[in-house]
Amino acid sequence: MAKKPRVLFQMILLMLIVMQNGECIWLNLPKSGRKCVTEEIHNNVVVLADYVVISDVHIHPTPSITTKVTSPYGNILHHKQNATHGQFAFTTNEAGQYLVCFWADDPNQGGALSVNIDWKTGIAAKDWESVARREKIEGVELELRKLEGAVEAIHDNLLYLKSREAEMREVSETTNSRVAWYSILSLGICVAVSFAQVWYLTHFFQKRKLI
């Protein structure tokens, strides 16, 4: 009986970790070229990110950058030029690696630049204050709603991992099948070439009346 509260506590802790699925990223931009960050996100997930440019040598005004967000299939989800700060938000409709790139608009505009990104996905990107106002809930009821969302997020992640595992297993089985057929074909070719060599040598020596 003593294990049940402990298991319940672990489940709640896991849900809270899922709910806090957000991270803060610091990127040091080179004077030329771009700096990118990627994250694998499955389908139908809300993504929200805020970014701000910081001059390492405290230049005023702060040099501007260009921001570009692309989907796994190359669709542009966000593209902003001459920005010192900004925000992008979207709901994914493709599963895979989402790419966010930053680069300086003018390589000669000053010293080194850094970009701070506050990246949130899934339930962490949901505006719970708006939900509470719209549905007139607060306190324990709001926390239960958050836990319900966390459970749904865990369930969706498990389904996504299951589908990915099935895809990988199918690819592995297909590859193994192709390798097996390739091995059989290679063995058949080797055997055929060996018989052809024996036949040729036998015919050659018989023609020369050596055997």
Side-chain angles (χ1 to χ4, degrees):
M1 296 296 294
K3 292 184 177 179
K4 290 186 177 180
R6 183 178 180 182
V7 173
L8 181 60
F9 174 75
Q10 291 175 347
M11 291 180 63
I12 293 176
L13 181 61
L14 177 61
M15 294 176 186
L16 291 176
I17 291 174
V18 173
M19 291 172 59
Q20 297 299 325
N21 189 14
E23 55 183 330
C24 188
I25 304 172
W26 280 92
L27 295 178
N28 295 320
L29 298 186
K31 288 187 176 181
S32 61
R34 60 182 62 190
K35 203 66 170 288
C36 300
V37 59
T38 64
E39 183 170 349
E40 183 171 357
I41 311 173
H42 58 269
N43 191 27
N44 199 28
V45 174
V46 177
V47 178
L48 175 65
D50 295 278
Y51 58 91
V52 60
V53 182
I54 299 175
S55 172
D56 294 347
V57 293
H58 306 292
I59 297 177
H60 294 286
T62 303
S64 62
I65 64 170
T66 297
T67 307
K68 187 177 182 180
V69 183
T70 54
S71 71
Y73 294 103
N75 297 318
I76 298 176
L77 304 175
H78 175 79
H79 188 202
K80 187 175 182 180
Q81 298 176 323
N82 300 319
T84 57
H85 65 279
Q87 181 185 81
F88 56 86
F90 56 89
T91 300
T92 60
N93 53 18
E94 303 167 9
Q97 294 285 344
Y98 283 78
L99 180 68
V100 184
C101 292
F102 303 90
W103 64 90
D105 289 327
D106 183 4
N108 301 318
Q109 61 185 343
L113 299 176
S114 297
V115 179
N116 175 256
I117 314 169
D118 185 13
W119 180 283
K120 297 178 181 179
T121 60
I123 193 171
K126 193 168 185 178
D127 188 357
W128 289 105
E129 293 183 0
S130 298
V131 173
R133 289 194 302 268
R134 183 175 64 252
E135 301 185 12
K136 298 180 180 180
I137 57 177
E138 60 182 7
V140 176
E141 189 176 0
L142 178 60
E143 295 302 321
L144 289 175
R145 181 62 62 85
K146 292 181 181 179
L147 291 177
E148 181 183 359
V151 171
E152 292 177 356
I154 293 173
H155 182 257
D156 292 341
N157 285 331
L158 290 176
L159 292 179
Y160 174 71
L161 292 175
K162 184 178 180 180
S163 65
R164 291 283 293 176
E165 189 271 337
E167 292 175 2
M168 294 179 67
R169 183 174 64 250
E170 182 179 356
V171 171
S172 177
E173 292 175 353
T174 303
T175 303
N176 291 338
S177 177
R178 291 178 179 177
V179 170
W181 280 108
Y182 177 78
S183 301
I184 294 173
L185 179 63
S186 299
L187 180 60
I189 292 174
C190 290
V191 171
V193 170
S194 300
F195 277 112
Q197 288 178 338
V198 171
W199 177 85
Y200 175 79
L201 292 175
T202 302
H203 182 72
F204 175 80
F205 288 132
Q206 287 177 346
K207 189 175 182 180
R208 296 286 183 177
K209 297 181 180 181
L210 297 177
I211 57 175

